[in-house]
Amino acid sequence: MNNNTQDTAVLQHIEREVRMREGTCKLLAACSQREQALEASKSLLTCNARILALLSQLQRMRKVQILQSVGCRPSDDLVPCTGKVALSDLRIPLMWKDSEYFKNKGELHRCAVFCLIQCGTEIHDTDLVMVDRTLTDICFEDTIIFNEVSPGFQLRVELYSSCVVDEFSPGAIGSWRVSRLGGSLGCSSGKKIRAAFESAAVCGSISSGGDVRSGSVPPALSPDLLTLGPKYNLLAHTTLRIEHVREGFKTHDLSLSATEDNPFWLPLYGSMCCCLVAQPLCMIQPVISGQIKIKDCNYPETVYGVLKRQALLCYQSQEDLESQDNPLLEIPIRKDTVVCMSDRDPANCQNIYINTQRQGEDITYMLTTYMLEDTQRWRKALCQHIYSMSHWKQCCDNLMKIQMPSSRKSVTMKQGSLYHEIATPSSPRRQTEVPDLNTDMRSLLSTYYKESY
C-alpha cells in the first residue's frame, strides 16, 4: 500500500468517525430517558477517542513520508509478524465500607461505568454497567479482540464513571444548537475533521481531568459540548504489555485517577482481573510450504515441508498433508534454533543447516531445494519465523485459545456478586433489565450515516 492510499484510508476512517460523532450528538440532544443519554454520552466519548488516535496515526505517517522525501529510507531488517490480542472476563473488585454493604446504611451512591480499551488506533468500549453498593465486583462480559498487533503492543484499559441521579429530565441535557453543528454537514472534510479534533481534544481533556488551553476550541462548539448530556470521568487506568499475556485469569494493578471527593468516585480495590491472550500470526497459519530435500539416509530425499508453529513438518507428499496423515519427520523450530547456509563450499551453497535440540540433544539437519531461489526463500522464512517467535516470547510456547465474542447482551441494571445471584425462599432473585440500548443506538446511527451521503 503506497503512501497516498494509506493517507486516503485514514482520512476516510476519520471522516466516518466524524459523521458518527455528529449523529451521536444529535441523538444525545433528542434523548428523553436517562439510560439513553448515558449510552449516547459513552458513544460520544468513544468517537472522540478514535478521532484523536487516528489523527495521531496520520501525523506519524506524514512524519515518515517527510523523512523518506529527504532520503531516509526504512530499514530492510527483519520485522516480527503481527498477531491477535484478546482481552476477556474483565473484573474490577470494589471495597465498600461495612456499614454500606452489609448494613445497607448511608446514601445510595450509583454510577454508570464502562471501559475504554485501546491498542494502537483500534479502540473498543464495553457495555455500560450500573454500579451501587450491592455490587462487590464490576463485571464486563465483553471479549475484545485486536487484530494486526505487533509484539511491542501497549493495551490501555481506562475505566470511566458518571454519577447517576435519580431525577432525570430532558431539560438537564441542555439546549443544543443544532444549527451550529448541523451547518458543518455542508463544509469540507478538512474543516469537519479540524473541528472534530479540537472538540474531541476538549472532551478528552475533561474526561481525563486535564486542563484546557484557552483559544483551542471554536466558540460555536465548546458551550454545547460542555453542557451536552451526562459526563464521564476517568476513574482508573492501566497498560498491559506482552509480559502480561498468560493463559487463564490474572490480576493487574490499577492506577487510580479520582478521590472520594469526586461525585463519580467508586471504592476501587486498586486492581483488576482479566484474561489476556495472544495468537501470533506465525502460530495460527503456515509460514511457508513446498518441496524440499533432506540429507538424511533415514528419510526419503524429497519431502513436502510445512513450517508452522514450533516445527518444520515433513510429509511424504502434499496429499498426505491434506489427508491429515502424521508427518514422516518433525524438526523442532524454537526461539534458540540456529539457521545458516554454507559459504565455504560453493558447490554446497544451496544447503541450509538447522541446528536445534531434539529430545535434549543438539542435532543438525541439512536441507536443500531444486533451485537457489527456493533455497533463499526457505532460509529467509526460517529466519523470519525464529525472529518472530523470539519477540512474541511466551506467546509462542503454546497456541493460546481466544474465545470469540458473542453478541452484546442487554444492559443489566442490577448486577451483584455470586451471593446476590443465589435465590433463596426468603430472598427471591430480582432481575430488573432495561431494553438493549446499544442495538437501538447503533441502528439509529447507521441510518443517520447512510442518510448523510
Side-chain angles (χ1 to χ4, degrees), residues 27-189:
L27 186 60
L28 182 57
C31 286
S32 59
Q33 298 181 9
R34 177 183 58 198
E35 288 77 17
Q36 293 176 340
L38 289 169
E39 285 285 350
S41 292
K42 177 172 79 78
S43 298
L44 182 60
L45 191 151
T46 305
C47 283
N48 289 331
R50 287 173 178 161
I51 291 171
L52 291 175
L54 288 167
L55 288 170
S56 298
Q57 181 190 18
L58 187 62
Q59 187 177 24
R60 290 192 297 269
M61 291 167 54
R62 296 284 170 82
K63 184 177 180 180
V64 171
Q65 294 172 14
I66 293 173
L67 291 175
Q68 290 179 355
S69 65
V70 297
C72 296
R73 299 297 177 184
S75 174
D76 294 331
D77 295 339
L78 294 175
V79 177
C81 69
T82 58
K84 295 182 179 180
V85 173
L87 184 143
S88 61
D89 298 324
L90 183 57
R91 302 285 187 272
I92 301 177
L94 298 170
M95 190 171 53
W96 297 101
K97 296 178 181 178
D98 291 349
S99 58
E100 293 177 323
Y101 182 73
F102 292 105
K103 299 180 181 179
N104 201 26
K105 293 182 178 180
E107 182 181 356
L108 183 63
H109 183 64
R110 301 179 72 234
C111 291
V113 301
F114 74 98
C115 277
L116 198 68
I117 305 171
Q118 176 177 359
C119 189
T121 58
E122 196 173 352
I123 298 176
H124 298 275
D125 59 346
T126 66
D127 284 334
L128 199 64
V129 176
M130 304 301 292
V131 179
D132 57 27
R133 62 192 176 204
T134 62
L135 288 182
T136 57
D137 304 276
I138 306 174
C139 303
F140 299 102
E141 304 298 335
D142 311 65
T143 297
I144 308 295
I145 299 178
F146 296 92
N147 300 293
E148 297 184 5
V149 176
S150 69
F153 71 88
Q154 293 188 9
L155 193 150
R156 182 174 173 86
V157 181
E158 296 179 339
L159 178 66
Y160 285 91
S161 173
S162 177
C163 182
V164 176
V165 294
D166 292 333
E167 295 82 11
F168 177 84
S169 62
I173 296 180
S175 61
W176 182 51
R177 300 171 180 84
V178 180
S179 60
R180 290 182 175 179
L181 190 58
S184 65
L185 292 175
C187 299
S188 64
S189 299

Side-chain angles (χ1 to χ4, degrees), residues 245-418:
V245 175
R246 290 288 186 276
E247 295 260 28
F249 206 57
K250 302 298 178 184
T251 303
H252 310 281
D253 293 333
L254 279 176
S255 298
L256 304 183
S257 303
T259 62
E260 194 171 354
D261 299 332
N262 300 115
F264 57 87
W265 176 84
L266 287 171
L268 302 181
Y269 191 75
S271 63
M272 74 171 195
C273 305
C274 66
C275 293
L276 182 66
V277 297
Q279 286 184 349
L281 201 60
C282 61
M283 293 290 289
I284 58 179
Q285 69 180 29
V287 178
I288 189 175
S289 61
Q291 296 287 341
I292 58 175
K293 298 179 182 179
I294 302 177
K295 299 297 182 67
D296 193 314
C297 61
N298 296 324
Y299 299 98
E301 182 178 354
T302 303
V303 296
Y304 189 84
V306 179
L307 180 59
K308 185 178 181 181
R309 298 184 187 175
Q310 291 185 305
L312 173 57
L313 306 176
C314 302
Y315 295 87
Q316 180 75 43
S317 64
Q318 186 174 359
E319 288 73 19
D320 291 344
L321 168 64
E322 294 172 352
S323 60
Q324 297 183 348
D325 291 345
N326 293 328
L328 297 174
L329 174 65
E330 184 173 333
I331 302 176
I333 305 294
R334 300 188 179 92
K335 307 179 189 72
D336 56 352
T337 299
V338 178
V339 175
C340 61
M341 294 185 68
S342 174
D343 54 0
R344 295 181 180 179
D345 186 2
N348 296 327
C349 63
Q350 289 187 228
N351 294 334
I352 302 175
Y353 295 91
I354 302 176
N355 182 266
T356 185
Q357 281 197 347
R358 187 182 181 90
Q359 296 179 350
E361 296 183 359
D362 288 337
I363 186 171
T364 300
Y365 295 90
M366 186 170 66
L367 310 179
T368 188
T369 63
Y370 290 97
M371 300 180 63
L372 179 60
E373 293 78 7
D374 291 338
T375 303
Q376 296 286 354
R377 189 168 57 91
W378 271 91
R379 183 195 63 82
K380 185 176 180 180
L382 284 164
C383 292
Q384 174 67 63
H385 188 54
I386 295 170
Y387 186 81
S388 296
M389 289 196 299
S390 65
H391 279 73
W392 279 101
K393 301 177 182 178
Q394 77 279 4
C395 304
C396 290
D397 292 343
N398 295 290
L399 180 61
M400 299 181 180
K401 184 178 180 181
I402 292 181
Q403 180 181 1
M404 298 307 295
S406 58
S407 58
R408 290 204 167 190
K409 302 177 182 179
S410 59
V411 181
T412 303
M413 296 297 293
K414 185 177 180 66
Q415 296 181 0
S417 62
L418 184 61

Side-chain angles (χ1 to χ4, degrees), residues 21 180-181 194-196 198-199 217-226:
R21 180 181 174 278
R180 290 182 175 179
L181 190 58
R194 187 181 303 110
E198 292 170 339
S199 56
V217 186
L221 286 175
S222 56
D224 297 330
L225 289 170
L226 292 174

Side-chain angles (χ1 to χ4, degrees), residues 181-239:
L181 190 58
S184 65
L185 292 175
C187 299
S188 64
S189 299
K191 291 182 179 180
K192 287 194 291 184
I193 290 173
R194 187 181 303 110
F197 166 72
E198 292 170 339
S199 56
V202 172
C203 290
S205 178
I206 294 172
S207 299
S208 303
D211 297 328
V212 181
R213 291 179 294 177
S214 60
S216 62
V217 186
L221 286 175
S222 56
D224 297 330
L225 289 170
L226 292 174
T227 60
L228 188 63
K231 289 296 175 289
Y232 287 96
N233 295 271
L234 183 62
L235 193 59
H237 63 89
T238 189
T239 301

